[in-house]
Amino acid sequence: MQSEGAAVRPATAEAPSGGRLVAALDIGGTKIAGALVDGEGRLLARALRPTPAAQDGATVMAAVAEVLGELTADPAWVRVTAVGIGSAGPVDASHGTVSPVNVPGWRGFPLVERVREVTGPLPVTLTGDGVAIAAAEHWQGAARGYDNALCMVVSTGVGGGFVLNGALHPGPTGNAGHIGHISVDLDGPLCPCGARGCVERLASGPNIARRALDNGWRPQAGQEPTAEAVAAAARAGDPVAAASFARAAQALAAGIAAAATLVEIEVAVIGGGVAGAGEVLFAPLRDHLRAYATLSFASGVRVLPAQLGTDAGLVGAAAAAFGGALRARG
C-alpha cells in the first residue's frame, strides 16, 4: 500500500510535467476539496463539498467519494498517475488511516483503502494537512529557497509541517510538525485532543472568537462571531478583539520558538484563514517571538505569510503524490 511516511522531496525538480497529472484531496473539518494537478502545480479541475464533520464516518466518506466522483468524471482523469491526500490529523500514513480531531466519526478510519475503492489501483500517498501545506509552500510558495522551514495553517484548527535539509519531513506516520498540539500553557484550557493549553486551543479561529466573546466583545448586528469579525474589530480599535488576537499570537510564537530551538528552522510560514488578519496577527506574533526565541540559533527565524492561500493543501497533496508515484516506479 503506497501510503508511507518517508521523506518526500517537493516536486520542484522531480515532478513529471509531460502531460501526467495527479489527483489531490484536501480534507479538513470545514471542507473537502479535490483537484487534478499538473507537474507545475497548476490546478486543472476542481471539486468541493462541505465536510459533514458532525455526522458518522460513512457520511463523511460519502462526501469524499462525491468529490472524487467529479474528478474521475473529468476527461483529464485518463492522465492521472497517482493520488495525494492531505488530511486533518492525526493521520497514520504507514497504515493509511486517519483520526482527525475535528471529525469525530473518523477514528482509525481506513481512508487510503476507501479512496482506492473509487480511484482504482493508483499509488495513494497520505500526509497530514500541515505536512501537505509545507510541501506546497516549499514547492511554490513563501518557503521556496529555504532548506529548513516550518509551515503552518491556522484556521479551524492549527497544523504544520517541516522542511528539513531541503526535503519534506513527514515523519514515520505523517504527523511531524503538528504544532497545533504542542502545549504552551501547562494548566491551560482542555483541548479536544485531551491535553491542556495546546496551541490550537488558544490560536485557532473558533477559539479566537470564543475568547473575544467570553471577554465581552460582540459582533455587529447581522454579523457572525468569527475570527474574521474579531480581526475587523481589532483593526477598528476594539481592545478586547485585539487582546484575543494577541493571545493567539503569543501561543503561536511559543510554538514556533520551540520548533526553532529543536530543529533550527530558518523561516516560519503561516497560512490559513486566521493569517488573513494580517498585521493584527503578525505584529504581536513577531513581538512575542522575539521574547521566546532568545537563543542565538533561534532568534533569526523569519515569519512570513503563506502565498498559496486556500489552494495550499491541494498543491501540497499533489507534491506528495508526485513523490509517491516516483517511488512506486523506482
Side-chain angles (χ1 to χ4, degrees):
M1 178 170 61
Q2 181 70 29
S3 58
E4 60 272 89
V8 177
R9 188 171 295 275
T12 310
E14 297 177 82
S17 57
R20 290 191 291 270
L21 307 176
V22 296
L25 287 174
D26 177 18
I27 302 174
T30 303
K31 64 178 174 64
I32 299 164
L36 303 183
V37 187
D38 71 9
E40 303 300 321
R42 293 183 292 253
L43 278 61
L44 307 183
R46 296 174 182 264
L48 183 69
R49 294 289 187 280
T51 303
Q55 304 300 314
D56 59 46
T59 302
V60 180
M61 185 61 214
V64 174
E66 288 178 8
V67 168
L68 286 170
E70 285 193 35
L71 298 181
T72 59
D74 191 282
W77 181 263
V78 295
R79 295 158 54 197
V80 171
T81 60
V83 180
I85 307 169
S87 173
V91 306
D92 186 342
S94 61
H95 292 93
T97 61
V98 298
S99 303
V101 172
N102 293 327
V103 185
W106 277 4
R107 290 293 175 268
F109 186 81
L111 181 59
V112 168
E113 178 185 331
R114 297 298 175 81
V115 165
R116 276 193 165 149
E117 291 173 0
V118 180
T119 61
L122 295 172
V124 178
T125 300
L126 171 65
T127 66
D129 55 357
V131 172
I133 286 167
E137 290 292 334
H138 190 236
W139 180 18
Q140 300 284 346
R144 191 169 188 168
Y146 290 93
D147 284 342
N148 299 282
L150 169 67
C151 300
M152 301 173 61
V153 57
V154 187
S155 184
T156 306
V158 176
F162 283 122
V163 173
L164 300 177
N165 297 321
L168 191 67
H169 180 74
T173 65
N175 294 286
H178 206 326
I179 192 170
H181 294 288
I182 290 176
S183 178
V184 293
D185 183 354
L186 299 184
D187 298 313
L190 185 66
C191 179
C193 78
R196 289 191 174 274
C198 291
V199 171
E200 180 171 299
R201 185 62 175 81
L202 299 170
S204 70
N207 283 301
I208 289 171
R210 174 198 52 76
R211 184 168 49 246
L213 288 167
D214 288 349
N215 286 284
W217 170 81
R218 294 294 179 267
Q220 295 180 2
Q223 188 179 49
E224 292 295 318
T226 63
E228 184 179 8
V230 178
R235 280 190 289 270
D238 186 306
V240 173
S244 187
F245 261 90
R247 178 62 167 151
Q250 183 183 21
L252 291 170
I256 292 168
T261 303
L262 286 170
V263 296
E264 295 194 56
I265 58 172
E266 303 162 87
V267 65
V269 174
I270 302 178
V274 171
E279 287 303 295
V280 169
L281 175 71
F282 283 94
L285 172 53
R286 293 186 182 105
D287 288 343
H288 284 299
L289 188 58
R290 281 191 290 271
Y292 284 113
T294 56
L295 295 174
S296 59
F297 61 87
S299 61
V301 174
R302 299 186 66 191
V303 176
L304 300 175
Q307 294 180 355
L308 297 179
T310 56
D311 287 340
L314 289 169
V315 174
F322 277 124
L326 287 165
R327 289 195 303 277
R329 290 201 300 274

